[in-house]
Amino acid sequence: QVQLVESGGGLGQPGGSLRLSCEGPGSINGLVAMGWYRQAPGKQRELVARITKGGNTDYAGSVEGRFIMSRDYSWNRVYLQMNNLIPEDTAVYYCNARVQLVTGAFDYWGQGTQVTVTS
């Protein structure tokens, strides 16, 4: 069982910054990527950023140039630095770990942390 715990959400102002943190699984067997997703009210959950075990980092177009995802060396923690916040960034943000096993691919999720951007 992989447990993920997010922290760092809260209230942000337009143009401001917030930093999210996720306590991750460490370098477990089969880990292929970790990511941040978000879900705004009435909308589907969407990928925000993802780092693969191979070292690639991908961003949604709506956050590229504003958000930076990083991790520590051992995959114990991943971070999402959110800069130049806009109201459209308001959502519940979820940490995700994707694990590939012989039996298939599995996604693990944190409980989510609310980010609200308002003046």
Side-chain angles (χ1 to χ4, degrees):
Q1 184 71 17
V2 176
Q3 290 189 328
L4 305 173
V5 181
E6 302 98 338
S7 60
L11 200 62
Q13 291 187 333
S17 298
L18 286 173
R19 189 187 195 214
L20 305 184
S21 177
C22 172
E23 184 175 338
S27 189
I28 60 171
N29 286 336
L31 181 69
V32 296
M34 290 197 68
W36 288 96
Y37 289 71
R38 68 186 181 186
Q39 188 167 18
K43 295 188 176 181
Q44 290 188 330
R45 192 174 296 189
E46 63 175 359
L47 175 69
V48 176
R50 174 177 53 208
I51 296 179
T52 68
K53 204 75 180 293
N56 295 321
T57 306
D58 301 306
Y59 296 96
S62 59
V63 307
E64 191 148 21
R66 300 189 297 119
F67 290 10
I68 301 170
M69 183 176 179
S70 60
R71 65 170 181 89
D72 69 3
Y73 179 78
S74 300
W75 296 90
N76 288 317
R77 282 195 177 272
V78 294
Y79 305 94
L80 186 68
Q81 178 66 41
M82 305 187 295
N83 301 319
N84 295 322
L85 290 166
I86 60 177
E88 289 76 15
D89 294 324
T90 296
V92 178
Y93 284 71
Y94 297 91
C95 181
N96 166 268
R98 170 155 287 196
V99 177
Q100 182 71 50
L101 302 176
V102 174
T103 50
F106 299 89
D107 282 307
Y108 297 92
W109 299 94
Q111 81 285 356
T113 185
Q114 177 71 46
V115 171
T116 303
V117 181
T118 180
S119 54

